[in-house]
Amino acid sequence: MADIGKAFSATWKKAAMIAVAWGVIASILGYIPIINAVSLLITVPMAFIVPIAVGYLVNQGKVEMGNAAITGGVAGFVYGVFAGIIGIVFAIINIVLGVGAAGALGSAQGAGSAAAGGIVGIILAVVIGLPVGIVLSIVLAAIGGIIYAATKK
């Protein structure tokens, strides 16, 4: 079987770069009015496709299916952590912008409720969303590794 430490050191940079790039693109698309609704048609399927691609792309050469799955899973873990962090950073930015907009309109109650709702959302994202996203990324990237090994035989 694959050495997880080796798999991590060989894959983490590529997985992290893909997570950051895709996270920034998807988050920025979410801030553009009208485009954000249309972009859901792209970003939702890509949330499943990108981790599979990560698992595929981090494998190199001819590898056994089990090793490719482990390498993909390790890369999926890294991808999930970095994608989650990017999502949380942009959620915080969204809260700040929402509170600022409510405050600029002279609504102290609106600013307060936006801040409170945003904080609850961030807590839920960290407690529920981040672990679920990481597990899903591990599974999908492992599938990507299996696909890689199957296509390289």
Side-chain angles (χ1 to χ4, degrees):
M1 286 311 255
D3 178 20
I4 292 177
K6 269 187 182 174
F8 179 80
S9 63
T11 63
W12 80 269
K13 287 180 185 176
K14 187 181 282 188
M17 288 188 323
I18 293 170
V20 169
W22 174 241
V24 169
I25 290 168
S27 297
I28 289 173
L29 286 175
Y31 286 117
I32 303 170
I34 299 177
I35 291 177
N36 60 0
V38 176
S39 74
L40 282 176
L41 299 172
I42 297 168
T43 57
V44 171
M46 292 298 284
F48 295 95
I49 294 169
V50 172
I52 293 171
V54 166
Y56 185 90
L57 293 172
V58 296
N59 280 288
Q60 298 174 350
K62 198 168 197 173
V63 294
E64 294 296 319
M65 199 167 288
N67 290 343
I70 290 171
T71 301
V74 169
F77 174 79
V78 173
Y79 172 86
V81 169
F82 276 85
I85 290 169
I86 292 297
I88 291 168
V89 166
F90 274 93
I92 291 169
I93 291 169
N94 195 25
I95 293 167
V96 170
L97 292 176
V99 170
L105 295 173
S107 171
Q109 289 176 332
S113 64
I119 291 168
V120 169
I122 296 294
I123 291 169
L124 289 174
V126 170
V127 172
I128 298 171
L130 189 59
V132 169
I134 290 170
V135 169
L136 189 61
S137 294
I138 290 169
V139 171
L140 292 172
I143 290 169
I146 291 168
I147 293 169
Y148 177 87
T151 58
K152 298 300 176 185
K153 290 221 177 222

